[in-house]
Amino acid sequence: PRISSKTIDLEALRRLPEDTFGHAYLQFLDNCGVSPDTRAPVKYVDDVDLAYIMQRYREVHDFLHALTGMPISVMGEIVVKWLEMVQTGLPMCALSSVFGPLQLTTSEQWRLTTTYVPWALQCGIDSQFFMNVFYERHFEESLPSLRQRMQIPMPPPLYPLPSQ
C-alpha cells in the first residue's frame, strides 16, 4: 500500500495513546513539519514493480525515524541511512553514509563513528527487514513492543556531544 494522507487517518493517530507507534509517528511528522505526502514520486525507474518498491522505501523512511527516535538532522539522517544501507545495500544509502559525515563537525564525526555507526550496523544486522513490515497495521501497538518485536534497540541519545 502507499503511504499518504489519503491512506492514513492522521486525526485518528492523534487520538492514540502516547506510547503507541502511531502516536510516535504522528509526533515525528508534527515535530519535523512533514507529512506522509512529503515524499516525491519515484522517477527514472521504468519497471512498475521496482518503482513501487522504491516508492515504498521512501515512504517507510519516516517510520524508521519514529522507531529509532532519530530526528531529521544531518546526524539523524546519516544514522538512519547506515541502518538502511545495511538492510538494503542501496547505493544511495551508501553514498549518504559515506559522504554525509563531511557536513558534521569533528566531534560529531567522532560520535557518529564510535557510537552510532556501530549501533546502526548491529541494528541492521539483527533487526527484522524493515521493508517487509506493514507499519500501518501497527499504529495501535505500543512503540516499545514494536521495537522489541522488530529487534530495534533504542540508540544512545544524540546529544550532548563531547567537547572537541
Side-chain angles (χ1 to χ4, degrees):
R2 292 293 310 275
I3 299 168
S4 72
S5 58
K6 293 177 183 171
T7 61
I8 294 175
D9 183 350
L10 298 177
E11 290 309 311
L13 296 183
R14 207 171 296 287
R15 292 188 297 271
L16 290 174
E18 288 187 19
D19 73 332
T20 61
F21 171 62
H23 185 85
Y25 171 65
L26 181 68
Q27 189 172 32
F28 169 80
L29 295 176
D30 287 347
N31 290 345
C32 297
V34 296
S35 80
D37 303 317
T38 303
R39 302 286 169 203
V42 169
K43 297 179 184 178
Y44 313 114
V45 180
D46 295 329
D47 183 280
V48 175
D49 291 332
L50 292 178
Y52 169 76
I53 292 168
M54 288 307 297
Q55 187 68 40
R56 180 72 180 176
Y57 159 75
R58 285 182 176 182
E59 292 170 350
V60 302
H61 177 84
D62 291 339
F63 291 142
L64 287 180
H65 277 281
L67 280 168
T68 62
M70 285 290 144
I72 293 182
S73 65
V74 174
M75 179 76 86
E77 289 296 335
I78 293 168
V79 174
V80 171
K81 286 298 177 193
W82 272 95
L83 173 59
E84 292 173 344
M85 181 184 67
V86 170
Q87 288 211 348
T88 67
L90 288 170
M92 65 184 172
C93 297
L95 287 171
S96 297
S97 299
V98 171
F99 294 108
L102 297 176
Q103 300 177 64
L104 300 175
T105 66
T106 303
S107 61
E108 289 171 328
Q109 290 175 0
W110 176 84
R111 185 83 182 253
L112 176 70
T113 58
T114 61
T115 304
Y116 299 104
V117 169
W119 173 86
L121 292 173
Q122 196 63 52
C123 186
I125 291 167
D126 293 343
S127 66
Q128 180 178 345
F129 184 57
F130 72 88
M131 289 288 294
N132 288 349
V133 177
F134 197 156
Y135 293 95
E136 300 90 318
R137 292 182 180 166
H138 297 282
F139 284 147
E140 296 181 8
E141 186 173 347
S142 82
L143 184 57
S145 171
L146 183 58
R147 283 182 182 139
Q148 182 178 16
R149 209 160 27 77
M150 289 184 66
Q151 297 178 306
I152 297 178
M154 281 300 296
L158 280 180
Y159 298 98
L161 293 172
S163 58
Q164 286 181 296

